[in-house]
């Protein structure tokens, strides 16, 4: 039995693919749209290998409203959207800001316009902890609660906080419009999910993170060191005021994060809260040195690193206070850093070329 239908924009990407899998496993119908700008079509095969179900897929650009319209026309049963499609490289966002606003903000506007035309009323949006900027500028805001004032310090983060506002205004407008027409309008709902640092892979070793081009996030870089594609990790600064001098982040297993989307969507459908922001993090902070150690333990040997200057724009501590999601969504992380490191290593070993190769034989023979 299908419990609902979801358009997953950006669904062949890292977090989107795991969320599509979680949705299929929870008996949602899934329609993925993605331009494949930063992902591979092979993801669809892997999702099917694991779940036994194949999501529908359309290659389209999220800024192309007419193309989105067509998908909704072909799938009139879609009543929910989970929106991952975006550009996400912080450094690049400062170099080509207009492209980031065009895709991240313009793409969201196109999607919301198409949703409005087709009366698709629930949206779950991939926001980011980066919207908080440096929360240490306030007293008592670490770990970071949702009421921490937002203040992104880079272009990418500003596209995310802008889309949060766009969605909030749109849901409010649609609710008001419905009320004026004598209806409740409560079918219009949005979840703004502020993720902390996603990492890890599927425990099967056949789904994981495979960014096209050079990675810039810590774990994919560490994986390259472990597999010999990179000589050493450059540690960006050991002069922060943390226990070992390196910066603190809240790393969250992508399976826990994907489940967060499922429970947030279910909450919107059940409770009709309007617009809600939730932090999705573990509540535990780990330093860069903690991560080098944890991943080294999974790999079975120490990983080479060299301390260099701080990376411009980095902050000391981004650790979530996830108690709102714990309470309202009954969601908390279940997997540990060790689980994430173990799964990432399995994915890396099995797929040295990422999705650009067939799945390991045992999966094809089963
Ligand atoms: P990803 O790059 O793996 O996934 C994004 C997907 O969007 C890709 O498949 C890409 O091809 C697609 N896409 C990009 N531009 C598009 C366009 N114009 N039209 C259609 N599709 C397009 O990234 P991810 O890590 O899975 O991130 C997913 C979402 O979560 C993004 O919105 C990102 O900003 C947000 N986010 C990511 C992190 C993180 O650390 N990975 C943290 C917080 C928030
Ligand atoms: C983690 C820690 C680095 C690489 C970014 C975005 C954020 C969100 C997640 C999308 C930091 C250190 C890293 C390296 C290092 N993405 N590091 N050497 O910066 O916390 O967050 O990704 O929304 O918006 O800003 O993640 O993985 O880049 O870095 O020492 O080669 O590892 O300084 O302390 P970050 P990251």
């Amino acid at each position: 039995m299908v419990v609902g239908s979801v358009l997953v924009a950006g669904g062949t990407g890292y977090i989107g693919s795991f969320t599509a899998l979680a949705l299929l496993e929870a008996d949602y119908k899934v329609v993925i749209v993605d331009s494949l700008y930063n992902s591979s079509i092979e993801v669809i095969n892997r999702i099917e290998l694991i779940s036994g179900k194949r999501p529908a897929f359309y290659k389209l650009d999220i800024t192309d409203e007419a193309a989105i319209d067509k998908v909704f026309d072909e799938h009139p049963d879609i009543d929910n959207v989970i929106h991952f499609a975006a550009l996400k490289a912080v450094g690049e966002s400062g170099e080509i800001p207009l492209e980031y606003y065009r895709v991240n903000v313009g793409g969201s506007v196109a999607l919301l316009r198409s949703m409005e035309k087709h009366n698709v009323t629930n949206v779950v949006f991939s926001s980011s902890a980066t919207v908080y900027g440096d929360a240490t500028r306030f007293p008592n805001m670490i770990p970071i609660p949702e009421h921490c004032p937002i203040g992104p310090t880079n272009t990418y983060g500003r596209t995310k906080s802008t889309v949060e506002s766009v969605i909030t205004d749109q849901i409010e407008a649609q609710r008001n419009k419905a009320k004026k027409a004598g209806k409740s309008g409560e079918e219009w709902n949005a979840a703004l999910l502020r993720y902390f640092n996603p990492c890890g892979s599927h425990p099967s070793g056949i789904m994981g993170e495979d960014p096209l081009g050079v990675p810039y996030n810590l774990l994919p870089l560490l994986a390259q060191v472990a597999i010999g594609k990179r000589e050493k990790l450059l540690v960006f600064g050991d002069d922060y005021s943390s226990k070992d001098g390196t910066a603190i982040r809240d790393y969250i297993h992508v399976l826990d994060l994907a489940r967060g989307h499922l429970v947030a969507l279910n909450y919107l459908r059940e409770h009709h809260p309007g617009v809600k922001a939730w932090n999705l993090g573990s509540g535990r902070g780990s330093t860069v040195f903690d991560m080098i150690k944890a991943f080294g333990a999974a790999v079975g040997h120490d990983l080479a690193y060299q301390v260099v200057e701080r990376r411009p724009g980095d902050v000391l501590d981004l650790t979530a206070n996830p108690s709102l999601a714990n309470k309202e969504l009954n969601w908390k992380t279940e997997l540990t850093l060790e689980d994430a490191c173990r799964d990432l290593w399995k994915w890396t070993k099995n797929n040295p070329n990422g999705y650009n190769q067939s799945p390991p034989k045992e999966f094809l023979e089963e």
Side-chain angles (χ1 to χ4, degrees):
M1 192 197 64
V2 173
V3 297
S5 299
V6 190
L7 181 117
V8 183
T12 44
Y14 175 44
I15 306 166
S17 59
F18 280 88
T19 304
L21 179 66
L23 289 165
L24 287 167
E25 287 173 338
D27 292 325
Y28 275 95
K29 172 183 152 178
V30 173
V31 177
I32 291 177
V33 300
D34 199 299
S35 66
L36 302 179
Y37 174 82
N38 193 34
S39 53
S40 161
I41 190 67
E42 174 62 17
V43 167
I44 302 291
N45 295 332
R46 306 291 174 104
I47 292 173
E48 188 180 11
L49 273 175
I50 294 173
S51 69
K53 299 175 189 170
R54 192 169 182 85
F57 175 76
Y58 295 83
K59 184 170 187 281
L60 62 76
D61 197 290
I62 200 65
T63 59
D64 185 348
E65 190 179 324
I68 306 168
D69 285 344
K70 264 195 193 161
V71 177
F72 284 136
D73 287 340
E74 277 183 36
H75 298 273
D77 52 328
I78 293 177
D79 43 5
N80 313 283
V81 166
I82 306 187
H83 177 29
F84 298 95
L87 303 177
K88 62 164 188 173
V90 172
E92 184 186 64
S93 73
E95 291 157 19
I96 47 169
L98 297 183
E99 186 60 5
Y100 271 68
Y101 281 100
R102 186 184 75 81
V103 173
N104 293 8
V105 180
S108 300
V109 170
L111 181 56
L112 288 163
R113 283 171 60 100
S114 188
M115 286 175 65
E116 182 181 332
K117 276 183 270 177
H118 295 84
N119 205 33
V120 177
T121 57
N122 290 319
V123 59
V124 176
F125 173 61
S126 295
S127 188
S128 170
T130 203
V131 299
Y132 295 115
D134 184 5
T136 60
R137 70 196 191 281
F138 303 108
N140 306 320
M141 286 292 178
I142 301 283
I144 307 172
E146 288 80 357
H147 62 261
C148 177
I150 60 173
T153 54
N154 57 63
T155 302
Y156 164 74
R158 282 186 283 276
T159 70
K160 289 288 168 187
S161 60
T162 303
V163 176
E164 286 198 359
S165 301
V166 170
I167 290 174
T168 303
D169 289 345
Q170 169 67 351
I171 297 296
E172 198 185 311
Q174 292 307 310
R175 285 189 160 222
N176 288 339
K177 191 173 150 195
K179 278 186 200 129
K180 275 189 198 141
K183 300 181 208 147
S184 79
E186 67 166 20
E187 67 276 22
W188 290 94
N189 295 286
L192 312 173
L193 301 183
R194 296 175 180 160
Y195 322 150
F196 284 66
N197 288 58
C199 62
S201 311
H202 196 269
S204 65
I206 67 162
M207 270 179 74
E209 183 171 14
D210 182 25
L212 305 182
V214 184
Y216 66 90
N217 286 122
L218 179 62
L219 267 301
L221 287 165
L222 270 177
Q224 290 198 338
V225 175
I227 198 110
K229 284 189 181 170
R230 191 173 285 269
E231 189 198 334
K232 60 192 171 195
L233 181 88
L234 300 180
V235 174
F236 297 141
D238 65 352
D239 57 350
Y240 288 98
S241 57
S242 66
K243 64 176 185 186
D244 59 23
T246 63
I248 303 163
R249 297 290 181 272
D250 184 334
Y251 296 90
I252 168 178
H253 197 298
V254 69
L255 287 180
D256 279 329
L257 185 58
R259 190 169 45 82
H261 291 74
L262 181 65
V263 295
L265 178 62
N266 288 340
Y267 187 94
L268 296 187
R269 288 158 56 92
E270 210 174 306
H271 297 280
H272 312 287
V275 181
K276 291 283 301 191
W278 285 294
N279 284 341
L280 296 184
S282 71
R284 283 182 310 274
S286 304
T287 66
V288 179
F289 283 157
D290 287 336
M291 298 307 289
I292 295 175
K293 213 165 141 196
F295 195 58
V299 172
H301 60 79
D302 288 348
L303 300 170
Y305 67 84
Q306 180 191 346
V307 177
V308 295
E309 289 294 293
R310 288 184 183 196
R311 185 170 62 179
D314 272 356
V315 299
L316 162 67
D317 194 340
L318 274 175
T319 302
N321 177 343
S323 44
L324 196 66
N326 296 168
K327 193 170 128 227
E328 293 184 338
L329 300 177
N330 196 21
W331 173 93
K332 65 179 172 52
T333 57
E334 289 171 359
L335 297 166
T336 63
L337 212 54
E338 288 67 34
D339 295 325
C341 291
R342 179 202 60 217
D343 296 341
L344 172 59
W345 182 229
K346 187 166 182 186
W347 158 253
T348 308
K349 269 189 311 187
N350 278 2
N351 308 266
N353 297 315
Y355 286 118
N356 196 18
Q357 60 181 72
S358 302
K361 277 201 189 73
E362 65 265 29
F363 284 94
L364 297 176
E365 284 163 3
E366 261 171 23

